[in-house]
Amino acid sequence: VRRFAERFRSIYGQEAASLEAIAFDAGSQLEKAINLEATPTGVDRTRVAARIRQIHDTPGVTGNLTYKDGQWTRNLKLLTVTDQQITEARQPRSANPAD
């Protein structure tokens, strides 16, 4: 994440927004799939698509990525600030003891 942010800042002179980070992750995964499926005669887009459908819990600058049902998903975490430190918030207990 730090390397991406520093590179983006040095190239564009500003901080990357979430859209740029998401686009970077998607582009990186596409580039990786193309490179893995490339042959001396070219790249078969069916094989690239199959490779993309296999992406599951892969690290990216926006978190771990999974491609499922035509959508990119990420494991989102709820963060909080405690004593000037950013930490992951604990899951609240259910009000219903049966849950």
Side-chain angles (χ1 to χ4, degrees):
V1 173
R2 186 173 295 131
R3 189 171 58 225
F4 165 75
E6 289 170 357
R7 249 178 99 203
F8 190 94
R9 191 178 318 107
S10 72
I11 292 169
Y12 299 105
Q14 62 186 20
E15 300 297 319
S18 59
L19 181 61
E20 286 91 2
I22 291 167
F24 177 82
D25 277 346
S28 295
Q29 292 305 310
L30 177 59
E31 178 183 35
K32 182 178 177 181
I34 289 169
N35 288 337
L36 288 170
E37 295 302 329
T39 66
T41 58
V43 179
D44 181 305
R45 64 172 58 181
T46 303
R47 291 176 57 111
V48 171
R51 177 73 66 172
I52 290 170
R53 285 191 295 275
Q54 294 174 2
I55 295 171
H56 178 77
D57 206 25
T58 301
V61 297
T62 60
N64 288 349
L65 307 167
T66 296
Y67 190 79
K68 182 178 178 183
D69 299 327
Q71 299 289 318
W72 291 101
T73 63
R74 287 162 192 77
N75 295 336
L76 300 178
K77 295 181 180 181
L78 183 60
L79 303 177
T80 188
V81 178
T82 306
D83 297 326
Q84 298 182 348
Q85 296 290 321
I86 298 173
T87 60
E88 187 174 348
R90 288 195 235 163
Q91 298 244 0
R93 291 186 188 185
S94 174
N96 182 354
D99 285 346

